[in-house]
Amino acid sequence: MSLPNNDISMRKLKLFLFLILISILKLSAADSPAGPIRILVITGGHDYQKEQFNQMLAALGENITYQIAELPAAYDMFLSQSRDRYDVLVFYHMWQDITDEQKKVFSECIANGKPLVVLHHSICAYDNWPEYINIIGGKYFHKPTVLNGKEYPACSYIHDVNFKVKIADKGHPVTAGLNDFEIFDETYKGYYVDPGVTTLLSTDEQSSTPVIGWTKMYGKARVVTLQSGHDVPTFGNPNFRKLLKQSIEWVYNSGKSN
Ligand SMILES: [Zn+2]
């Protein structure tokens, strides 16, 4: 009878299979995100249709969960001890007031790698904080403004415009699977766009600035800015929803594989 030896061989085999199983589990854990992408939506300083906006957020799918924080209380969410509660910032605010300390914490939060998606009237926030232009890559001017030695006239807006959004960069993950589409939204004309951004979306609509979607880096963080997003027709536009979802997913991967 050679049972003892067989027992040892069997134990070795079981240990070997166990170690392989552990390796496979570790590999798959590294390849997939730990859970859904937790977005923190910052609002304040501008009204919006909350119910339909939240429906749009809820429709982003199981891989994205959301929480809303309103300024000025939302400034606490930029503090280092709050940043691990969410993965991606989404701006849908038009806040103006900010202290020097808040500016420091706010810009550090993003520069240190907290990714950001900027929507619509957040292009119009912080009229008196030039660094905000570097963070989001653009600025709507409420009044004539001098920037980098050049004078820009006040911008203008028109509600309820039906116009065509052109996909300017078809090879980008944010625009993947999208073709040029129609949108019914508010346009902004004359806003500043940093020449260093990568243009994702454009339009020939005369009441709009030609560049209406772009991406840039701010420190370690990816930033995507989309001009669209005034109200219900856009919240329900399947192309806009796809853009928003893919923007969130892409900025989330800042510093990761692509
Ligand atoms: Zn608007």
Side-chain angles (χ1 to χ4, degrees):
M1 297 286 283
S2 53
L3 272 176
N5 277 345
N6 276 348
D7 261 3
I8 290 166
S9 300
M10 189 55 78
R11 270 188 221 151
K12 279 185 176 169
L13 182 63
K14 280 181 179 171
L15 180 65
F16 179 67
L17 291 173
F18 178 71
L19 290 174
I20 286 179
L21 181 65
I22 292 290
S23 307
I24 290 169
L25 287 173
K26 273 187 180 170
L27 273 177
S28 57
D31 285 351
S32 57
I37 303 171
R38 301 162 302 165
I39 63 169
L40 179 72
V41 183
I42 306 279
T43 64
H46 198 295
D47 282 343
Y48 65 99
Q49 291 142 311
K50 291 192 172 69
E51 189 186 335
Q52 295 91 337
F53 183 79
N54 291 347
Q55 282 168 2
M56 172 182 72
L57 297 177
L60 291 171
E62 286 177 3
N63 194 36
I64 298 173
T65 60
Y66 75 94
Q67 181 191 345
I68 310 262
E70 195 169 347
L71 287 164
Y75 279 126
D76 286 351
M77 297 304 287
F78 296 112
L79 296 167
S80 54
Q81 62 267 34
S82 307
R83 292 175 201 166
D84 61 356
R85 294 187 216 161
Y86 56 92
D87 303 305
V88 172
L89 282 162
V90 175
F91 283 179
Y92 196 57
H93 68 82
M94 203 179 87
W95 203 254
Q96 300 296 339
D97 296 336
I98 187 163
T99 66
D100 286 347
E101 181 59 26
Q102 286 164 343
K103 286 175 185 172
K104 187 167 170 287
V105 173
F106 183 121
S107 53
E108 271 179 9
C109 174
I110 299 160
N112 287 343
K114 193 60 74 180
L116 170 65
V117 176
V118 180
L119 299 178
H120 191 58
H121 48 240
S122 282
I123 300 172
C124 318
Y126 300 120
D127 287 350
N128 300 310
W129 185 29
E131 186 61 17
Y132 187 65
I133 304 175
N134 291 332
I135 295 173
I136 72 164
K139 184 73 184 84
Y140 182 102
F141 302 121
H142 288 102
K143 56 182 189 299
T145 302
V146 176
L147 179 67
N148 302 326
K150 190 179 167 192
E151 187 164 343
Y152 295 85
C155 299
S156 57
Y157 60 87
I158 301 184
H159 287 287
D160 299 341
V161 183
N162 198 39
F163 65 100
K164 194 175 206 177
V165 176
K166 290 179 164 184
I167 309 300
D169 187 345
K170 287 185 192 288
H172 200 281
V174 168
T175 58
L178 283 160
N179 295 310
D180 297 355
F181 63 92
E182 295 277 323
I183 201 164
F184 183 77
D185 202 344
E186 180 185 15
T187 56
Y188 295 159
K189 190 176 179 70
Y191 58 85
Y192 172 79
V193 181
D194 185 326
V197 303
T198 300
T199 301
L200 299 175
L201 307 171
S202 64
T203 186
D204 293 332
E205 165 57 33
Q206 290 303 299
S207 66
S208 175
T209 291
V211 176
I212 54 170
W214 63 85
T215 182
K216 73 184 298 289
M217 294 297 294
Y218 184 73
K220 294 178 189 166
R222 285 178 179 166
V223 178
V224 169
T225 301
L226 304 174
Q227 184 275 332
S228 299
H230 178 76
D231 61 355
V232 168
T234 301
F235 301 161
N237 184 311
N239 293 295
F240 181 75
R241 287 186 174 193
K242 192 173 172 74
L243 270 176
L244 177 58
K245 182 175 193 290
Q246 292 182 169
S247 296
I248 291 164
E249 289 169 343
W250 185 71
V251 298
Y252 173 65
N253 286 318
S254 295
K256 295 179 186 161
S257 56
N258 58 357

